[in-house]
Amino acid sequence: MLDKDKKVTGINRRSALKLAGGAAIAGLGVRAFPAPATAQGAPLRVGVMLPFTGTYGAIGKTIDNAFKQYVAEHGDKLGGRTLEFVQVDDQAEPAKGPDNMNKLVSRDNVDVVIGTVHSGVQMAMNKIARETGKLMIIPNAGANIATRAQCAPNIFRTSFSNWQPSYPLGKVLMDAGHKSAIILTWKYAAGEEHANAFKEGYTKLGGKIDAEFYVPFPEVEFQSYLTQIAEKKPSAVFTFIAGGGAVKLVKDYAAAGLKKSIPLYGSGFLTDGTLQAQGEAAEGLQTTLHYADDLDNPAEKAFRANYKKRYNADPDVYAVQGYDAAALLDVGLKAVKGDVNAKENLYKAMASAKLDSPRGPMTFSASHNPVQNIYLREVRKGKNVKIGIAAEALADPGTGCKMV
Ligand code: BEZ
């Protein structure tokens, strides 16, 4: 075997595949990359790959802000290490994903990658993280596969799988007496996975899907779909649309006069980080998500107050996910006294972390996806107010990952 096939940033291939303490993940190609500058005392190099422009630009900025908030709250260090950031705007553009990730991993030689938002870009990043063994924390993108068949010891997620927020919504609609629904979503991995999760939860309780409309990402021309919804008159509509697209959809839906006659439901990305721009049009919308604006726990209260002070804005779910990405890295680095190359113990500590998150209790599944409450929320006076728990301590059902 050639030397380059043996080494993954200082550990051999077999142990890289067994790091989570269990069975190896078969079939991963592993290439050699230069060892990062990890000397104790040297700053930890943090690659931040997020969209900072376009439809998801505000989401990327919020994640980055909150990550840095956590660092600032902890003496500008994580696990005793100062940090050096290398930032890439991935533009939520899947075609550029491999180049952007490779730049961070091989050219900039970062110790850890924080990214990203868009599920399509995430899939490209996942492949490279698996091949190189580079530590990666996903602060948003929900691509199910990242913590199912394509999981890895070095990949963690502090957000959600796309299945998690949308599956419980099926029961919410049925409980509200909506026995038929139309799905309106973006045509890319996240839209399809949210739609499938909703369908699974809804149809198994007897709900009927009248039609499914898939809008090319990142288009926001919803009018023709709204006309069809008005004609077909389903009992309700399910949607996954986020960021700038969610602002447009919620306003268009209200302007089309559909809001009262055909209630619009969605995973909570429909109304998170968007309420100020949506205004009155969002009032009364019900959604399911792992966060709400009025959760009653001390971590949330401190987080919310500090975020508001630093950024003069209210935090949202994306902020929580970015904050928790820093918190998770901190837990891991503390366990290895800042030595990011002590991978076995680093990953063990991260995998068993119990984060005191602003979202409430949070642990990690065997494949490193959050186990968390999914709240039912309603928009009241410009806030996503918790009105119930749609699913308690919900774990993604994926079974494709053989990490433990
Ligand atoms: C995704 O692509 O996975 C995603 C993007 C924005 C919000 C939620 C999920």
Side-chain angles (χ1 to χ4, degrees), residues 27-209:
L28 298 185
V30 177
R31 292 201 305 267
F33 283 82
T38 50
Q40 299 299 299
L44 186 84
R45 287 175 65 73
V46 180
V48 177
M49 182 163 157
L50 293 168
F52 289 99
T53 52
T55 308
Y56 285 165
I59 297 177
K61 186 69 198 146
T62 300
I63 291 170
D64 187 51
N65 280 347
F67 188 98
K68 287 174 178 155
Q69 175 184 335
Y70 181 95
V71 175
E73 286 173 0
H74 292 79
D76 290 323
K77 288 184 178 173
L78 293 183
R81 301 279 298 270
T82 57
L83 309 179
E84 196 170 273
F85 291 98
V86 185
Q87 184 174 298
V88 170
D89 176 4
D90 69 37
Q91 302 167 300
E93 181 59 77
K96 296 181 185 160
D99 272 1
N100 284 330
M101 179 70 169
N102 275 324
K103 264 185 232 153
L104 288 177
V105 172
S106 345
R107 187 194 69 185
D108 298 321
N109 209 14
V110 298
D111 295 303
V112 52
V113 175
I114 309 297
T116 188
V117 169
H118 182 288
S119 277
V121 180
Q122 196 67 54
M123 292 201 231
M125 296 174 74
N126 238 71
K127 182 167 183 294
I128 293 165
R130 278 162 61 86
E131 286 172 358
T132 61
K134 184 65 64 185
L135 174 59
M136 178 172 77
I137 303 178
I138 306 171
N140 185 70
N144 289 333
I145 198 169
T147 51
R148 291 189 187 175
Q150 300 243 324
C151 75
N154 53 307
I155 297 175
F156 292 81
R157 176 146 60 189
T158 56
S159 50
F160 54 91
S161 72
N162 285 327
W163 180 88
Q164 279 179 305
S166 288
Y167 173 78
L169 200 52
K171 181 165 183 330
V172 172
L173 264 72
M174 289 304 280
D175 287 349
H178 299 301
K179 300 218 166 61
S180 73
I182 282 181
I183 291 173
L184 171 63
T185 187
W186 266 323
K187 182 159 183 54
Y188 82 99
E192 285 156 8
E193 290 180 350
H194 279 271
N196 288 339
F198 167 70
K199 269 193 276 185
E200 185 189 332
Y202 189 52
T203 56
K204 86 176 194 196
L205 296 173
K208 185 174 153 289
I209 304 296

Side-chain angles (χ1 to χ4, degrees), residues 17 31 45 85 132 140 183 229 258 332 339 367 372 374:
L17 299 179
R31 292 201 305 267
R45 287 175 65 73
F85 291 98
T132 61
N140 185 70
I183 291 173
I229 287 168
L258 294 172
D339 181 2
S367 57
Q372 55 194 344
I374 302 295

Side-chain angles (χ1 to χ4, degrees), residues 47 51 100 128 141 197 205 234 267 272 309 329 347 373 383 394 398:
N100 284 330
I128 293 165
L205 296 173
S267 51
D272 243 76
K309 201 155 125 200
L329 186 54
Y347 299 163
N373 292 337
K383 300 248 174 278
L394 186 65

